[in-house]
Amino acid sequence: MRISQKVKKILDNYESDNPGTKTNLARILMHGKLGGTGRMIILPVDQGFEHGPARSFAPNAAGYDPHYHFQLALDAGCNAYASALGMLEAGADSFAGAIPTILKVNSSNSLARPKDQAVTASVDDALRLGCSAIGFTIYPGSDDCFEMMEEIREMALEAKSVGLAVVMWSYPRGGDLTKEGETAMDVCAYAAHMAALMGAHIIKVKPPTAHLYQDAAKKVYEAQKIDISSLEKRIAHVVQSCFNGRRLVVFSGGEAKDEAAILAEAKAIHLGGGNGSIVGRNSFQRPKDKALELLGKMADVYLGKA
Ligand code: FBP
């Protein structure tokens, strides 16, 4: 595998990692249309767990078939495909080695009350399936957040010891957090920073709004005149909160929205120095030709062509 200078520089930021983990990070960073640029587009398909099958796949019924998502990620030239154990197992042979995969090792569901996730796969599963990384969600702010942090501490240690990379979804929710608070600027930067502190190689957060949630933080943002006036500036502040750019940070797509809104978001991520997008529903809920068109245009944004 060729490694670009840009990716070599990124790998140098991971000073404690073994060659196996660096190789797996390089696999993700070098694959697909954005390979070598330091930018990424990742296809995540764990929404069947998080939201249920009809909410996830009914808009484009081809998505009920696990093979569809492997093929979509491949055809779109994504850097990686992330999913839960059963989905990755269902295409493991047909797509072995075709695209880097990320095994989501914990999962939530919308039938349960607690804002928590159960550990639903292991590091051994990730190795058995040839994955490049494990993916783990934490919900900062939830009543169960400390337990989730302790779980990832153990799993990250194990994953790193066998040369896998660690991707952390850091989604504030639960506890006393309001809906507005979940994506507030200070909360989002805080969540991203905690993922970095817990040793994530790739951090995934939602794009932040200009809302400031915690009074103590609001005072500092205002006193220090931290510019959060545009999405680009807010992305830059999240990047700064991820060890000043020493950790990779990608932003999630969210519920279905129109193409112009997605491309405008990608542009802000690009200009703000974010490392890319992890976009699920906005890709697999569209008919395949439309999804490929959209993911192609997003790649052009990250290549600086649009
Ligand atoms: P989407 O692009 O569909 O938002 O996917 C990103 C993601 O992080 C998924 O991996 C996850 O299942 C989902 O968002 C969680 O969404 P929500 O926070 O709305 O439950």
Side-chain angles (χ1 to χ4, degrees), residues 44-47 50-51 169 171 173 204 206 252-255 278-282 284:
V45 189
D46 58 338
Q47 293 79 354
E50 309 279 325
H51 307 142
W169 280 229
Y171 284 180
R173 69 183 59 174
K204 170 178 191 294
K206 297 193 177 185
S252 61
E255 285 169 25
I278 175 152
V279 53
R281 283 164 287 180
N282 275 294
F284 67 75

Side-chain angles (χ1 to χ4, degrees), residues 93-112:
D93 190 38
S94 302
F95 296 93
I99 181 165
T101 51
I102 300 166
L103 175 62
K104 199 59 215 314
V105 292
N106 70 346
S107 311
S108 182
N109 69 73
S110 49
L111 302 176

Side-chain angles (χ1 to χ4, degrees), residues 240-253:
Q240 186 181 44
S241 303
C242 293
F243 297 169
N244 219 11
R246 285 179 183 269
R247 293 295 176 262
L248 294 157
V249 58
V250 294
F251 294 83
S252 61

Side-chain angles (χ1 to χ4, degrees), residues 8 12 19 24 39 71 74 96 137 140 158-159 175 187 191 284 296 305:
K8 171 81 184 67
D12 287 346
N24 275 314
R39 309 292 175 133
Q71 198 63 56
L74 257 177
T137 297
E158 190 187 351
V187 175
F284 67 75
K305 291 187 194 165

Side-chain angles (χ1 to χ4, degrees), residues 158-170:
E158 190 187 351
K160 291 175 184 182
S161 76
V162 294
L164 294 174
V166 175
V167 183
M168 280 183 62
W169 280 229
S170 194

Side-chain angles (χ1 to χ4, degrees), residues 15 23 35 47 72-73 119 141 156 179 181 268 290 296:
E15 299 198 15
T23 300
Q47 293 79 354
L72 175 62
V119 173
K179 198 79 200 146
K290 295 280 174 222

